[in-house]
């Protein structure tokens, strides 16, 4: 059974940085496409960043140049480095993984049901 556990969220002032981690167990991380998604109160879930089996990445326009997704296959951990945070980045951030062959671009725009596994999420709050 695949389990995903996020950590690293918190409260930070605008312009600050956070690094989110998603620790995976129950599978070999290299075989999965993985992504970070966020949902703010009253808004729909949106894709933030994704990384596919080949290591290709894709980002939402709103975070390009500020966020970086990466994975450490030896540690089975997915990361999201978030710099220059803005109040509009405030949301619950969740990681997701799937065995399918989605590319990073496809994964970024995928629906919740397209991913087989989801974490519980970690809250990020950015104050102005």
């Amino acid at each position: 059974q695949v389990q995903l556990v996020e950590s690293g969220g918190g409260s930070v002032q605008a312009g600050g940085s956070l690094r989110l981690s998603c620790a995976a167990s129950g599978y070999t991380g290299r075989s999965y496409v993985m992504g970070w998604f966020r949902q703010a109160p009253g808004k729909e879930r949106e894709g933030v960043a994704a990384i596919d089996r080949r290591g290709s990445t894709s980002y939402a326009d709103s975070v390009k140049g500020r966020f970086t997704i990466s994975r450490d296959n030896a540690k089975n951990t997915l990361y999201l480095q978030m710099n220059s945070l803005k109040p509009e980045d405030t949301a619950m951030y969740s990681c997701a993984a799937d065995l399918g062959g989605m590319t990073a671009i496809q994964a970024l725009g995928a629906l919740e049901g397209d991913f087989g596994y989801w974490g519980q999420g970690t809250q990020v709050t950015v104050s102005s």
Side-chain angles (χ1 to χ4, degrees):
Q1 180 70 18
V2 175
Q3 290 188 324
L4 304 175
V5 179
E6 302 95 334
S7 62
S11 297
V12 65
Q13 289 191 329
S17 298
L18 286 173
R19 188 176 81 155
L20 305 183
S21 298
C22 173
S25 61
Y27 76 98
T28 302
R30 187 188 299 272
S31 303
Y32 281 66
V33 58
M34 300 189 75
W36 287 100
F37 295 79
R38 67 186 181 186
Q39 188 167 19
K43 295 187 177 181
E44 293 187 353
R45 187 192 304 265
E46 64 172 339
V48 176
I51 184 167
D52 61 26
R53 296 181 180 185
R54 296 179 180 83
S56 297
T57 59
S58 184
Y59 296 91
D61 287 342
S62 59
V63 306
K64 281 181 181 177
R66 300 188 298 122
F67 291 11
T68 303
I69 189 172
S70 62
R71 66 199 300 173
D72 184 332
N73 292 324
K75 295 182 178 180
N76 278 352
T77 302
L78 179 74
Y79 301 102
L80 184 68
Q81 178 66 45
M82 306 186 295
N83 299 327
S84 302
L85 283 161
K86 304 175 181 180
E88 50 264 43
D89 294 318
T90 295
M92 179 69 75
Y93 285 71
S94 300
C95 66
D98 194 77
L99 264 176
M102 284 188 287
T103 65
I105 293 176
Q106 292 170 332
L108 194 65
L111 301 175
E112 183 172 349
D114 293 329
F115 278 88
Y117 307 99
W118 286 85
Q120 293 298 309
T122 185
Q123 177 68 37
V124 172
T125 302
V126 185
S127 58
S128 57

